[in-house]
Amino acid sequence: MNRKTLVLPAVVGLLAPVLAACGASDGGSDGSDAIVVGTTDQFVASKDAPAPLDPAIGYEAGVWNVLRQTVQTLMHVPRGGGEPVPEAAESCAFTDTANESYRCKLRSGLEFADGSAVTAEDVKYSIDRVIRIKSTNGPVALLDNIDTVETKGDREVVFHLRTSDATFPYKLATPPAGIIQPGTYPATSPRNGFQVDGSGPYTMKPEVKNDQVVKVVFTRNPHYKGDLKVLNDKVELDLFPDATAMGKALDKKKIDMMTRTMSPKQSQEMLEHPRDGIKLTEMPGLAISYLGFDTNDPAVKNKAVRQAMAQVIDRGQIASEVYGTTAEPLYSLIPSSIAGHTNSFFNKYGEPSTAKAAATLKDAGIRTPVKFTLHYTSDHYGDATATEFRTLRKQLNDTGLFDVTVQGTPWAKYRPAELRGEYAVYGMGWFPDFPDPDNYTAPFLGSNNFLNSPYESSAAQETLIPRSRREADRSVAARTFKQLQDIVAQDVPVLPVWQGKQYVASRESLTGVEWAVNSSADLQLWELGHGAS
């Protein structure tokens, strides 16, 4: 997965492309052909995950990119970033100075894709359902500060929050806050399978083989009423096993655009050797990569082991040699492009040092070499992941302080195993639910954390996070976020490694590419159109 009345100056305007679109026009789709978009995201139904596209269950960037096209939210982040604005709502605002009561009024005449009316009760049902289901692997943490949802007539909804939360408008712009129909989504259990229905800009039809989606066809929803301007009639999302296959499809003109996840090699080659008829658009990225820990596992239970790892990992080598221009070293959970970022890990550990790491382990009475397996997902974050983890293994083992092996596992098995606590050390990525420092700290610290980690920080959960959320002016919360970042650097419940850039390759005739993927890696397919070829 994958969070404001707060404009973040570091984010506003980030979506202006570095490489301009050559030969593109301002026109939208002529409606004659579907726009075809490629992705390496995988949607698989299994015993562990029978409902991967249910808004109460799915908490991955790829899943949310399907949901955003089909399930309408009360608020949305406008083109180019900034404060959320009404989408399904006509208006929304806090009604108290403590930011604990939030009122929305629905647009008049809202309809689901089947033509039935959308009411305030449907909004309440949708939000209450996520909280009731409380999926372990799901996005409930985004909404669990809601105490009650109150309706007033058919068009007014009031959210009563347990504690102050200036980021709540951003949470109402995320897919788990999307409006679904009570008749198609059970109140207390997931909706199994891959079908998604709502009142968003598109209807969707998945094509499935062997319990796995191979294509999703999005068709303009004629009943849609909201704030989004839809510039095409149909978009097909084609799923590929890897970036190489997706790139070949672009070369053969079988797709118009390739998004998640281009490989670093592909991006570098296109930068150095531009191809006729293809444009490469560079965008800022807010995604981060990090190592997670089961802090109860004997191998890494003592934080001295985790601190020693932080002391010897060479982030610069990983960024430059594995990811090239598509990544840079990260020394905090909060990326450098987000206001409130502090280089807490560099401030504490400095440059990689085997001697300092050895001293840390010796002082804690840890016998070396420390032995464990470094786990990674083999098919979720792109082709370079395996190379990254081989590099991490070499860096750790070359110190003589660690005896590390690596193991790759497909995401469909990897994530459930991680949540069950089967991995001592594992790699993960984070695509923000919204571009606020809260979304890089709160999901990782506390009893309901995203990783299901046993790590808890009472200072973070009981004092610092609530304090940060009381500040509508997010710049005022910077000192609190520095303290949170310093706690992570001291205790190392997670170990940040790099933050990424985004590249999107597309045919020159495709318009709106610079708006169709935002800095949080959200797909906004309604922005795409056919231009002059």
Side-chain angles (χ1 to χ4, degrees):
M1 54 203 179
N2 3 297
R3 282 166 200 252
K4 314 170 288 0
T5 287
L6 9 105
V7 177
L8 298 177
V11 175
V12 175
L14 281 181
L15 294 183
V18 174
L19 301 181
C22 303
S25 75
D26 292 331
S29 170
D30 60 10
S32 59
D33 299 305
I35 295 169
V36 186
V37 175
T39 180
T40 59
D41 288 320
Q42 303 295 311
F43 311 125
V44 181
S46 65
K47 181 179 179 181
D48 287 324
L53 296 182
D54 189 314
I57 306 297
Y59 199 14
E60 304 166 22
V63 171
W64 280 20
N65 282 338
V66 172
L67 295 175
R68 287 184 190 279
Q69 321 309 316
T70 47
V71 178
Q72 193 175 19
T73 51
L74 291 170
M75 304 288 283
H76 79 106
V77 177
R79 173 194 274 191
E83 299 181 16
V85 297
E87 212 290 71
E90 177 182 286
S91 61
C92 286
F94 282 107
T95 59
D96 64 333
T97 57
N99 292 337
E100 292 181 351
S101 180
Y102 196 74
R103 182 187 300 263
C104 292
K105 184 175 182 179
L106 295 177
R107 293 178 185 269
S108 176
L110 278 182
E111 295 177 338
F112 288 108
D114 66 0
S116 60
V118 176
T119 69
E121 283 296 330
D122 295 322
V123 176
K124 174 178 169 58
Y125 178 91
S126 303
I127 299 292
D128 286 346
R129 178 177 179 270
V130 176
I131 296 170
R132 274 195 303 267
I133 291 175
K134 200 175 182 179
S135 170
T136 301
N137 191 20
V140 66
L142 287 168
L143 305 177
D144 65 3
N145 191 36
I146 297 174
D147 185 21
T148 58
V149 182
E150 178 186 3
T151 62
K152 296 189 175 183
D154 286 340
R155 293 178 57 197
E156 288 197 30
V157 186
V158 182
F159 300 94
H160 300 284
L161 309 182
R162 291 187 175 89
T163 60
S164 300
D165 187 1
T167 71
F168 189 67
Y170 278 79
K171 293 171 181 175
L172 288 184
T174 62
I179 309 166
I180 48 90
Q181 287 176 289
T184 56
Y185 288 83
T188 58
S189 61
R191 180 186 183 182
N192 292 353
F194 301 104
Q195 185 59 47
V196 180
D197 298 290
S199 56
Y202 298 97
T203 61
M204 65 87 79
K205 181 180 179 180
E207 295 184 12
V208 181
K209 293 181 180 179
N210 300 321
D211 294 323
Q212 183 167 349
V213 176
V214 295
K215 178 186 291 187
V216 181
V217 179
F218 295 104
T219 304
R220 185 200 290 258
N221 174 12
H223 295 278
Y224 171 70
K225 297 179 179 68
D227 193 52
L228 305 175
K229 183 178 180 181
V230 184
L231 300 178
N232 56 69
D233 292 327
K234 182 181 288 187
V235 180
E236 294 180 0
L237 186 68
D238 282 7
L239 280 64
F240 293 90
D242 52 49
T244 299
M246 181 169 60
K248 289 179 180 178
L250 182 69
D251 291 338
K252 294 178 180 179
K253 299 184 179 181
K254 292 184 177 180
I255 63 174
D256 299 301
M257 172 174 151
M258 53 192 289
T259 57
R260 289 170 39 93
T261 304
M262 290 182 63
S263 72
K265 182 179 179 181
Q266 287 173 323
S267 302
Q268 192 68 36
E269 286 180 350
M270 289 187 185
L271 283 170
E272 295 174 354
H273 306 287
R275 303 181 192 179
D276 289 341
I278 295 176
K279 63 186 179 187
L280 185 69
T281 304
E282 177 186 331
M283 306 172 188
L286 298 179
I288 67 171
S289 180
Y290 61 94
L291 298 181
F293 300 92
D294 177 357
T295 54
N296 277 347
D297 189 281
V300 294
K301 185 173 184 177
N302 192 314
K303 70 179 178 183
V305 176
R306 309 192 299 269
Q307 290 173 334
M309 292 176 65
Q311 183 69 74
V312 299
I313 285 177
D314 188 340
R315 297 167 176 82
Q317 181 190 30
I318 292 168
S320 62
E321 295 185 9
V322 180
Y323 292 98
T325 60
T326 66
E328 59 185 72
L330 179 62
Y331 297 94
S332 167
L333 273 178
I334 300 174
S336 59
S337 47
I338 292 287
H341 164 84
T342 301
N343 284 323
S344 295
F345 274 82
F346 189 84
N347 295 341
K348 181 171 177 59
Y349 301 102
E351 296 291 347
S353 170
T354 298
K356 290 181 180 178
T360 296
L361 293 170
K362 182 179 179 181
D363 290 345
I366 304 296
R367 298 178 64 178
T368 58
V370 179
K371 187 174 183 178
F372 58 83
T373 297
L374 186 57
H375 293 268
Y376 68 93
T377 173
S378 57
D379 63 351
H380 195 63
Y381 297 122
D383 297 347
T385 307
T387 304
E388 174 187 350
F389 279 78
R390 288 194 297 268
T391 304
L392 283 168
R393 176 186 60 191
K394 187 175 188 305
Q395 289 181 357
L396 292 166
N397 288 350
D398 282 354
T399 66
L401 303 174
F402 299 94
D403 180 6
V404 176
T405 57
V406 294
Q407 177 66 52
T409 304
W411 180 256
K413 295 182 178 179
Y414 181 86
R415 176 63 167 154
E418 180 270 310
L419 288 169
R420 291 193 297 265
E422 295 181 11
Y423 303 151
V425 189
Y426 51 90
M428 291 288 285
W430 183 252
F431 295 86
D433 305 328
F434 51 88
D436 184 88
D438 175 81
N439 195 228
Y440 290 92
T441 49
F444 300 96
L445 305 172
S447 57
N448 290 321
N449 64 75
F450 165 72
L451 299 173
N452 201 30
S453 166
Y455 173 81
E456 291 188 38
S457 167
S458 58
Q461 198 68 19
E462 297 171 13
T463 303
L464 298 176
I465 291 173
R467 181 191 301 166
S468 74
R469 288 175 171 172
R470 287 194 290 268
E471 301 296 347
D473 181 349
R474 304 308 281 161
S475 63
V476 175
R479 179 179 296 181
T480 302
F481 283 115
K482 180 182 184 304
Q483 291 176 274
L484 286 165
Q485 292 168 88
D486 288 346
I487 287 174
V488 174
Q490 173 63 33
D491 292 349
V492 199
V494 293
L495 176 53
V497 180
W498 55 266
Q499 68 179 78
K501 294 180 183 178
Q502 296 184 98
Y503 290 91
V504 175
S506 61
R507 314 235 39 103
E508 285 188 348
S509 59
L510 194 64
T511 63
V513 173
E514 65 271 30
W515 304 114
V517 183
N518 68 16
S519 59
S520 297
D522 301 333
L523 270 183
Q524 300 172 143
L525 297 178
W526 53 85
E527 295 282 4
L528 296 174
H530 288 296
S533 57

